Amino acid sequence: MLTIKADINDVSIQQRIKVEFIVRWKECPDCTKEARQSTWSAIVQLRQKRDDSRKGLLILELAIARNALMRKHILSVQTKKAGFDFYFPTPDKARHFTQYLSKVAPMRIKTTQSLVSEDKTNNTANIRHTLACEMVPLCRDDLVVIGKQAKGAGKLTGKLCLVLRVSSAVRLITVSPSREFDVASQCTELHSDTYWRGESSYRLFLSSRRLVRFVVLDVELCDERDRYNSGDSNQVYEGPQSGVSKYALADVEVARETDFGVNDETFMCVTHLGHLLSPGDVVLGYDLASTVLSSEAEWSIENDVTSNFVMPDIVLVKKIKGGQDQSRVEGGDDSAESKHKKGKAKSSGSKKRDRRMKKEEQKQQKLAAAAARMGLNTDEDVYFDEDDFIDGEGNTISEAVRKENEKFEKEVEMDEDLADDLALVEAELREQSFSDNEDDESEKVDA
């Protein structure tokens, strides 16, 4: 009860009235903004323009999955034809995210702005920022032709090269190394600025889709033949603790795995995998002796490669486990089941509607799989509805994350080079963060 008292014409009036207080809970401005539609003010468009961009984006997905701090401010994510779109509440958080991505993979970043609305009376405007990150379209195990006019390639100008590693820079090695020099002198680092300045001088010759299985028959190191022939078994690289460098030039005799029991054709080649191979190993490589090249690839060999370059018949790329199956069949059960489904004939309108629904379902499955691989969770990291992360089998987000993480870990375990690339990226990021912390501390001391 509330007592009200007033004096009117020297008369005192007092009255008690009943007052009802209503408490309304209200969210803070940041939470209110996140709960609204169209909350983002900056978008990061990550793209790698090549036919098999999935392979190039894999290392980025792994890096994002292992850094919860980078996923903290992502409002939503969308899958696109050659990459992803990440939405952020502020441009500063988006720029911080792109700086992290540029340390993982070579890319160029372009920033644009678009005016959404403005209030001339209060002199305010709603501006959305777009950060376009275009990755260098080269992946590990690719064959690349470096043109004669290329700058920044060093001794590899006018040669056919193999991509050894992709981190903050692309590491290349010639496919026809000279026995007179070591491996390090026949490699070079290609940075993103160098690539984009002379983009036309770097042409993709063959991708990892064209890899063929070979069986190693004999290995003879070029620089240490006497030591190898004496029976020293310590020459095989088994990790950093083995005390042996990972790469070494060697003369290797191989045969196609499909030729066993058919013919006796063998090939000799010089490879950088001398410390990784032993007789009987299975290795993936490019069979340039029998590969049918496209017209663009043939033109590159005729015009971009120098005349003194010796084209090898075989280019060995990486050693694999003998029982490892390189082919992966996805969705086999669903496709087989759909073939046996029988139903009534549908009209053209129903078929179009079914195609749209199927396309949307595939898009949602792709989004769920990509988000799960990157560790994006609806409860912690991403502002998504639960239904957006239900896969084709009806699994919830937690089940989808667990399954995708298991696939990821298995893929990293089976691919030793991918694990090495990820370890290298993490080491570079740790060094960068350590140096940034040192700079911050020095600034505080100076202040």
Side-chain angles (χ1 to χ4, degrees):
M1 300 296 290
L2 181 64
T3 301
I4 300 176
K5 184 178 180 180
D7 294 332
I8 302 175
N9 297 329
D10 298 331
V11 178
S12 179
I13 300 175
Q14 181 176 328
Q15 184 180 3
R16 299 184 67 186
I17 60 176
K18 184 177 180 180
V19 180
E20 180 180 359
F21 291 92
I22 299 176
V23 179
R24 298 184 182 274
W25 296 99
K26 185 177 180 181
E27 294 180 333
C28 65
D30 292 338
C31 295
T32 303
K33 186 177 180 181
E34 290 185 358
R36 293 197 200 115
Q37 294 287 339
S38 303
T39 60
W40 61 275
S41 62
I43 178 175
V44 176
Q45 297 177 342
L46 179 63
R47 302 288 187 272
Q48 188 181 45
K49 297 179 180 178
R50 53 178 289 154
D51 295 338
D52 52 346
S53 58
R54 165 71 177 91
K55 181 181 178 182
L57 296 170
L58 178 59
I59 192 69
L60 285 176
E61 293 176 3
L62 283 169
I64 295 173
R66 300 198 176 189
N67 193 328
L69 184 61
M70 290 296 106
R71 305 192 304 268
K72 181 179 179 180
H73 302 292
I74 298 177
L75 296 179
S76 63
V77 60
Q78 290 183 357
T79 57
K80 297 298 180 180
K81 182 178 180 181
F84 303 99
D85 283 350
F86 300 93
Y87 296 87
F88 292 87
T90 61
D92 293 338
K93 293 180 174 60
R95 280 191 289 267
H96 184 60
F97 183 73
T98 57
Q99 290 174 2
Y100 175 77
L101 295 181
S102 63
K103 299 171 186 176
V104 178
M107 63 181 65
R108 63 177 175 183
I109 303 173
K110 294 183 179 180
T111 304
T112 58
Q113 300 178 358
S114 60
L115 180 63
V116 179
S117 61
E118 64 176 341
D119 186 354
K120 295 183 180 180
T121 304
N122 298 324
N123 196 21
T124 59
N126 182 12
I127 300 176
R128 285 184 173 176
H129 302 258
T130 301
L131 290 82
C133 303
E134 186 176 358
M135 298 173 56
V136 172
L138 299 178
C139 295
R140 181 167 47 88
D141 304 336
D142 284 345
L143 283 185
V144 182
V145 176
I146 301 180
K148 302 175 185 178
Q149 306 298 326
K151 296 181 180 179
K155 297 180 181 180
L156 301 186
T157 303
K159 295 183 180 180
L160 180 64
C161 301
L162 174 69
V163 179
L164 284 181
R165 186 180 67 243
V166 178
S167 56
S168 58
V170 181
R171 186 168 180 82
L172 301 167
I173 184 174
T174 176
V175 299
S176 183
S178 175
R179 298 178 179 87
E180 301 176 357
F181 304 98
D182 58 355
V183 175
S185 62
Q186 304 186 67
C187 297
T188 188
E189 297 281 346
L190 179 63
H191 295 274
S192 59
D193 295 341
T194 305
Y195 175 83
W196 294 117
R197 280 198 302 266
E199 180 181 1
S200 59
S201 300
Y202 302 92
R203 298 179 182 272
L204 179 63
F205 187 72
L206 290 175
S207 65
S208 57
R209 296 177 178 179
R210 308 292 292 273
L211 290 174
V212 181
R213 295 168 70 103
F214 295 91
V215 178
V216 178
L217 303 178
D218 188 24
V219 179
E220 185 177 1
L221 295 178
C222 295
D223 296 336
E224 301 174 338
R225 297 179 183 179
D226 295 336
R227 185 178 178 183
Y228 183 83
N229 292 332
S230 63
D232 188 0
S233 59
N234 295 328
Q235 291 302 304
V236 178
Y237 176 80
E238 297 178 352
Q241 68 279 2
S242 61
V244 180
S245 59
K246 185 175 182 180
Y247 298 121
L249 295 180
D251 291 308
V252 180
E253 183 180 6
V254 296
R256 300 188 189 95
E257 191 178 53
T258 56
D259 287 346
F260 274 90
V262 180
N263 56 56
D264 299 329
E265 187 177 10
T266 61
F267 300 92
M268 293 293 301
C269 63
V270 180
T271 180
H272 62 286
L273 304 176
H275 283 166
L276 297 173
L277 301 180
S278 299
D281 289 340
V282 180
V283 62
L284 289 177
Y286 292 99
D287 186 4
L288 301 183
S290 59
T291 299
V292 179
L293 302 177
S294 63
S295 58
E296 184 178 356
E298 291 181 352
W299 186 93
S300 298
I301 292 298
E302 294 175 357
N303 297 274
D304 291 336
V305 177
T306 57
S307 58
N308 58 353
F309 178 77
V310 180
M311 181 66 67
D313 293 332
I314 302 295
V315 178
L316 300 184
V317 175
K318 61 181 178 180
K319 173 185 174 181
I320 63 172
K321 298 180 181 180
Q324 182 179 353
D325 186 8
Q326 295 299 311
S327 60
R328 296 180 62 187
V329 181
E330 299 181 357
D333 297 338
D334 296 337
S335 59
E337 184 178 346
S338 62
K339 290 180 180 179
H340 294 286
K341 288 183 178 180
K342 294 182 179 179
K344 298 180 180 179
K346 297 182 179 180
S347 62
S348 58
S350 299
K351 291 180 180 179
K352 291 181 180 180
R353 185 166 54 253
D354 291 344
R355 283 196 297 266
R356 286 195 300 267
M357 294 176 61
K358 185 177 181 180
K359 187 177 180 179
E360 184 65 24
E361 183 181 356
Q362 291 176 352
K363 183 179 179 181
Q364 292 296 333
Q365 293 177 6
K366 188 177 180 181
L367 173 62
R373 284 195 301 269
M374 289 183 284
L376 300 177
N377 194 315
T378 55
D379 297 332
E380 298 176 0
D381 302 321
V382 182
Y383 226 155
F384 271 141
D385 292 333
E386 186 80 10
D387 295 339
D388 290 341
F389 286 88
I390 297 179
D391 60 12
E393 300 176 358
N395 297 321
T396 60
I397 177 63
S398 58
E399 295 173 346
V401 169
R402 179 180 56 80
K403 287 188 176 183
E404 286 298 328
N405 287 340
E406 290 177 356
K407 291 180 182 179
F408 241 5
E409 295 299 332
K410 185 176 180 181
E411 191 167 359
V412 173
E413 181 182 356
M414 297 298 291
D415 194 340
E416 297 178 355
D417 291 336
L418 180 60
D420 293 342
D421 289 350
L422 182 60
L424 178 64
V425 168
E426 291 177 344
E428 291 180 352
L429 293 175
R430 283 195 299 269
E431 293 178 359
Q432 183 67 27
S433 62
F434 179 74
S435 62
D436 293 342
N437 292 335
E438 284 187 341
D439 296 338
D440 295 339
E441 291 178 359
S442 62
E443 291 178 358
K444 290 180 181 179
V445 171
D446 295 338

